[in-house]
Amino acid sequence: MTEPVLFEVTDGVAVLTLNAPKKRNAIDGALAAALIDACERIDADLTIGSAVIQGSGGYFCSGGDRDELAAISAAPASDEGIRATQRIYDAFLRFGALKVPTVAAVRGGAVGAGMNLALAADVRVVAEDAKLASGFTRLGVHPGGGHYTLLTRVVTPEAATVLGVLGETVDGRRAVELGLAYEARPDAEVEPRALELARRGGTDPALTRAAIRSLRAEVGPPALTWQAAVPLEQSAQLWSFARKGSDRWKGTERASD
């Protein structure tokens, strides 16, 4: 069976590769569990000073798995519906809580839950032609996973409105202009550049871990915390899944198309 998340360590840097290219690395239960396990390995290994997350097949992450989202829509208020959405949330919540600085290498696109995963990283290096989209409202559902809190960590409320409410899609160059990403590069340079940045943290893991801990404590998220925003949005997202219904996922426009 193919591993849903590939894990390797080089020069003090853990590289996590989402490995479901046929569905553009959409997050399902297996991938979420594998990502959480990889994060546990990173935190437990004190020789690791930083981490890179990327997607296989030239695409970062297309969001939640459509089959699982359809199942949620069929019974959104059920115990399993709540557990299924929480499994997706837990994947990027855990990644965002890593004890090392993190760099997301975004090629192809990051949409919906994939955007949340990219925003959970401390740094984003994106392809110039990558498509970044909140995607939720264009699919007829309310954002989830603390999306607006994540957005407003890095962009203005105005930009968050355009992206997260009005459904604008931006390319990598525009993402840098808005503050969504640190740097935009030609596609072939994205992952090498992300690794180059992360290697600087891998040279002294103890110091890097201490420094990122201090940075996060001092800067912090604004207003409502991300953890508090997750349950706040969950009921609204489940309501929107119910309104959409399980039969309406097939053939739905992808926000990245």
Side-chain angles (χ1 to χ4, degrees), residues 11-257:
D11 299 328
V13 180
V15 179
L16 307 180
T17 304
L18 309 182
N19 191 34
K22 291 183 178 180
K23 56 182 182 180
R24 296 195 291 190
N25 303 311
I27 302 172
D28 60 13
L31 191 148
L35 182 56
I36 291 169
D37 287 345
C39 291
E40 294 295 329
R41 292 175 64 183
I42 292 169
D43 279 350
D45 187 345
L46 299 183
T47 68
I48 296 174
S50 56
V52 171
I53 189 164
Q54 59 193 29
S56 61
Y59 201 95
F60 183 69
C61 180
S62 61
D65 177 77
R66 290 301 178 90
D67 289 339
E68 293 201 3
L69 296 179
I72 292 168
S73 294
S78 67
D79 289 345
E80 180 52 34
I82 294 170
R83 282 194 296 267
T85 55
Q86 193 63 51
R87 280 194 294 267
I88 297 173
Y89 302 157
D90 286 346
F92 43 79
L93 281 166
R94 182 63 185 89
F95 179 75
L98 275 173
K99 296 179 181 179
V100 300
T102 53
V103 183
V106 179
R107 298 170 58 207
V111 180
M115 174 78 96
N116 283 348
L117 182 57
L119 290 170
D122 296 299
V123 179
R124 283 155 296 284
V125 178
V126 300
E128 293 171 341
D129 61 353
K131 294 181 179 179
L132 289 85
S134 294
F136 296 101
T137 58
R138 285 184 61 177
L139 293 174
V141 298
H142 190 282
H147 184 65
Y148 293 138
T149 296
L150 286 169
L151 271 178
T152 52
R153 284 182 177 185
V154 293
V155 303
T156 65
E158 181 178 33
T161 300
V162 173
L163 293 165
V165 178
L166 302 180
E168 180 83 336
T169 297
V170 296
D171 65 17
R173 296 182 186 88
R174 181 60 174 150
V176 172
E177 294 173 355
L178 292 172
L180 276 172
Y182 173 68
E183 198 168 89
R185 291 282 185 118
D187 187 81
E189 297 178 11
V190 171
E191 289 165 5
R193 175 56 172 159
L195 187 58
E196 177 188 10
L197 290 172
R199 278 201 181 105
R200 299 172 185 175
T203 59
D204 188 345
L207 176 61
T208 302
R209 287 179 177 232
I212 195 64
R213 183 171 61 247
S214 295
L215 174 64
R216 292 169 181 165
E218 292 175 35
V219 176
L224 193 65
T225 67
W226 180 14
Q227 287 74 14
V230 168
L232 178 71
E233 291 182 350
Q234 187 171 22
S235 61
Q237 188 179 50
L238 291 172
W239 160 80
S240 64
F241 279 130
R243 187 186 64 164
K244 188 176 181 67
S246 60
D247 292 333
R248 294 178 59 194
W249 283 96
K250 293 182 179 180
T252 303
E253 176 194 21
R254 288 181 182 272
S256 58
D257 290 343

